Amino acid sequence: MSAPTHRRSPFLGRMSLPERNFVADALRTETVGGVLLLVAAVAALIWANTFGGSYAAVSGFHLGPASLGLDLSIQHWAGNGLLAIFFFVAGIELKRELVAGELRDPRAAALPVIAALCGMAMPAAVYFTVNTLGGGSLQGWAVPTATDIAFALAVLAVIGTSLPAALRAFLLTLAVVDDLFAILIIAIFFTSKINFLALGLALAGLVVFYFLLRKGVRGWYVYVPLALVIWGLMENSGVHATIAGVAMGLMLRCHRHEGEDRSPGERIEHLIRPLSAGLAVPLFALFSAGVVISGGALRDVFTRPETLGVVLGLVVGKALGIFGGTWLTARFTKAELNPDLKWPDVFAVASLAGIGFTVSLLIGELAFTDDLALAGEIKAAVLTGSLLAAVCAGTLLKIRNAKYRKLCEEEERDEDQDGIPDIYELDKPEYHLRMAAIHEAKAAEHRRLAEVASSSHAGDDGPA
């Protein structure tokens, strides 16, 4: 008797119900946060171009205890402090993906990981090529490598385009892997002079944090003060302070024990994500996206090699990198695309990943700290590239929106009203028995209505 053959699930196929619910919850929060991010970015542009003096004064205003090395500008607090919350959530996301999500199976993870890596390598290569040929600075090679999931989802919300769950999950997985390598880039390439005493104490604090977690110690009043101390030490160490947030996020347990509805990491992410998406990231955008826009500035974006490299990296490099990496990996691994979707759908999502806002702005600030004028032009390039990527992706997605809406309706249909989409119950006898009872009840009601209509019709035909 021959051994049974096991068919591999198709690429971008249906997710498990728990994974689908988790992704839907995460993306719902990110979508709201993304809309706030858009509002904050627009507000920053209006403020900087209308009352530029006050914007610069507020952004550059210093506060904090100088004795602790924390006399920082508002813009610095937003970039190093508030974004530590964002990277804390990113750390939890990454940990969960590795132990319970799409990345836990190396074979299944290979395709999105390779796609994300190609989606970072190609923009860097585009930037490098443009600046090598144009004689520009190579310091900004990492600026166009990042994807902003919140901004991308906000674009979907604004243009009113539905995306099937599998495509949204693919975009989220790309962003998680993207965040991981962005963190590594910041840690490796943008670390200034190291204060080994402060770094050693920060690492000791992380060890204590890990030990308390493993001992099951509970209470925000224990972890929040410790996290603030670790962050302050990391800020003084010369290593970018957001790394502390990532490290603490990775330490949380994200696999469920028996009887748990959610792991500690999932519970904390559920609590902190709204703070990150709804407050931390929009405030960072408010104090980082304020660039003065003029005809000359826009001309420079498309003529200066550094800024042109960023724009082309986001618009062209991201789309070609992610799509090319996905297509080649699928071809060589013989992964079959979900028959409900087409390769142009993957290209549209790859184009959407060219929206690189939050982390791109952060890396732009770190790459050109010694040239504030160029740093401002790089911000304008990030905004321009992200806008162009959004327009391209929005146009491509709108073409297929009717198909997406139909797929979403099928994914959400719950005719037996038990709170579980019908598509996940087609192999369960109980579901079919419930549906049989529902249809029998409807049939009985229609028979009763037919009898009433027949009696009424007979009365109308009787003698006057």
Side-chain angles (χ1 to χ4, degrees), residues 84 177 294 460:
V177 178
S294 64
D460 291 339

Side-chain angles (χ1 to χ4, degrees), residues 182-228:
I183 291 160
L184 293 175
I185 288 171
I186 291 171
I188 295 170
F189 295 100
F190 298 107
T191 295
S192 56
K193 295 178 182 178
I194 296 179
N195 180 334
F196 287 99
L197 176 60
L199 181 59
L201 291 173
L203 293 176
L206 289 171
V207 170
V208 173
F209 190 90
Y210 179 82
F211 179 78
L212 293 174
L213 286 173
R214 290 301 167 267
K215 288 296 181 182
V217 176
R218 296 190 175 189
W220 65 266
Y221 46 85
V222 174
Y223 292 102
V224 172
L226 179 58
L228 292 174

Side-chain angles (χ1 to χ4, degrees), residues 87-217:
F87 279 108
F88 175 70
V89 174
I92 300 175
E93 277 183 344
L94 177 61
K95 178 70 174 288
R96 188 197 162 277
E97 287 290 327
L98 289 171
V99 302
E102 294 294 301
L103 303 181
R104 70 185 183 279
D105 180 357
R107 289 178 300 177
L111 203 151
V113 169
I114 292 174
L117 286 173
C118 291
M120 297 186 80
M122 184 62 78
V126 169
Y127 181 94
F128 184 86
T129 302
V130 170
N131 282 271
T132 299
L133 296 176
S137 171
L138 299 180
Q139 290 178 252
W141 64 271
V143 175
T145 61
T147 293
D148 194 310
I149 182 69
F151 217 136
L153 292 171
V155 169
L156 292 178
V158 170
I159 65 176
T161 298
S162 302
L163 265 190
L167 284 175
R168 288 178 178 265
F170 181 58
L171 183 61
L172 178 61
T173 305
L174 287 174
V176 169
V177 178
D178 196 293
D179 286 341
L180 167 63
F181 286 98
I183 291 160
L184 293 175
I185 288 171
I186 291 171
I188 295 170
F189 295 100
F190 298 107
T191 295
S192 56
K193 295 178 182 178
I194 296 179
N195 180 334
F196 287 99
L197 176 60
L199 181 59
L201 291 173
L203 293 176
L206 289 171
V207 170
V208 173
F209 190 90
Y210 179 82
F211 179 78
L212 293 174
L213 286 173
R214 290 301 167 267
K215 288 296 181 182
V217 176

Side-chain angles (χ1 to χ4, degrees), residues 414-432:
D414 182 19
E415 292 188 354
D416 61 341
Q417 298 182 348
D418 66 341
I420 300 174
D422 295 341
I423 199 169
Y424 288 96
E425 299 188 291
L426 296 178
D427 59 344
K428 296 180 180 179
E430 311 85 54
Y431 163 76
H432 294 286

Side-chain angles (χ1 to χ4, degrees), residues 9 24 38 52 57 77 133 136 138 203 209 212 267-268 271-272 279 291 343 346 367 389 391 393 396 417 431 443 445:
S9 58
L38 277 173
W77 276 109
L133 296 176
L138 299 180
L203 293 176
F209 190 90
L212 293 174
R267 288 198 302 271
I268 293 172
L271 292 172
I272 302 298
L279 181 67
V291 294
W343 282 109
V346 179
V391 171
L396 294 172
Q417 298 182 348
Y431 163 76
E445 177 63 13

